[in-house]
Amino acid sequence: MSEPISFFSGFQVNDLVFLGEAAGRTLLISAVSITIGTIFGIFFGWSLQASKWLAQTTIGTILDIFRSVPLIIQLILFYNFFPIIGWNTGPFAAGAVVLSIYTAALVANVVRGGIEAVGIPMRRAARSLGMSYWQDLRYVVWPIGLRAVFPSWVGVALSVIKDSALVSVLGYMELLRASQILITRTQEPFIILACAGAFYFALSYPLSKYSQKLEESWTS
């Protein structure tokens, strides 16, 4: 009599490699989204502060929508909307676009807060010394505002790394989706999720630690 066929297998070393590769893809889409989102967020934040009424009624309204609507809904809507406008894109591109816009919406408020953290008297003093508007931004507002908002930006970056797990709904093989596949095959959710959590920690902890040392160097 033949032995029964088992469709499940235990957790193996190759599965850990599979999770590591998925963690690399998580890092890739997070890095792309954080970089692009931060660049646009700086511009949007400056716009919100420089032209309050006009920017608030246009850019501010759009950014509020992206901050308010759950990220998973944005991902599904945009992923299905892109083919309608003739842009046949894959899960990575769609996820990176949505995450970048989402990051920009969060960073914009952070940047605006940093600019407004610099007192009006200090900015007037800079202008009275003959500085132009852009010199005032570069030599006064940026150095002081950066120290004020840097912890908040780090919080946004760490949040985006974790939120990148939602791109799994589009079929992108990142860490969470890889974990789900392995759980289905091995039926060992505790081990798989523990490994996935360790990878997320390995991605986030260096950024948190480096930012902490950077802040300490600014105050020393």
Side-chain angles (χ1 to χ4, degrees):
M1 183 177 179
S2 60
E3 296 181 358
I5 299 175
S6 176
F7 294 97
F8 305 108
S9 60
F11 186 73
Q12 303 170 0
V13 177
N14 290 337
D15 297 331
L16 193 61
V17 175
F18 180 61
L19 286 176
E21 293 174 349
R25 286 187 285 270
T26 294
L27 179 61
L28 176 61
I29 195 171
S30 299
V32 170
S33 302
I34 292 171
T35 301
I36 297 176
T38 298
I39 293 173
F40 279 95
I42 291 173
F43 173 76
F44 293 149
W46 167 78
S47 300
L48 290 173
Q49 197 280 330
S51 179
K52 294 184 178 180
W53 183 84
L54 180 60
Q56 282 289 356
T57 56
T58 54
I59 298 176
T61 302
I62 297 174
L63 296 182
D64 284 339
I65 293 175
F66 281 94
R67 280 195 299 266
S68 303
V69 178
L71 183 56
I72 190 170
I73 295 179
Q74 297 180 37
L75 288 166
I76 296 174
L77 287 179
F78 275 83
Y79 185 61
N80 290 278
F81 174 74
F82 287 149
I84 297 177
I85 61 176
W87 185 14
N88 295 319
T89 181
F92 174 83
V97 169
V98 175
L99 279 176
S100 296
I101 300 175
Y102 178 72
T103 303
L106 298 178
V107 172
N109 265 355
V110 172
V111 171
R112 181 179 62 176
I115 296 175
E116 293 177 350
V118 182
I120 298 296
M122 185 174 296
R123 300 196 64 178
R124 288 177 177 172
R127 300 300 292 274
S128 66
L129 292 174
M131 289 187 180
S132 65
Y133 174 78
W134 299 110
Q135 288 175 326
D136 172 34
L137 284 179
R138 178 179 178 183
Y139 296 108
V140 179
V141 176
W142 179 251
I144 298 175
L146 178 62
R147 296 186 182 187
V149 304
F150 185 69
S152 299
W153 177 85
V154 173
V156 170
L158 294 176
S159 176
V160 171
I161 293 176
K162 292 179 289 186
D163 290 340
S164 66
L166 297 176
V167 185
S168 61
V169 300
L170 307 182
Y172 182 63
M173 191 60 66
E174 50 72 58
L175 193 52
L176 180 61
R177 184 166 179 82
S179 301
Q180 293 171 336
I181 292 174
L182 290 180
I183 289 174
T184 302
R185 201 204 73 209
T186 64
Q187 297 297 298
E188 296 180 358
F190 180 80
I191 296 177
I192 303 299
L193 292 179
C195 292
F199 275 115
Y200 275 115
F201 176 79
L203 295 176
S204 303
Y205 182 73
L207 175 61
S208 178
K209 199 65 177 178
Y210 175 74
S211 65
Q212 182 179 355
K213 290 185 177 181
L214 191 59
E215 288 183 63
E216 291 175 354
S217 68
W218 286 344
T219 58
S220 61

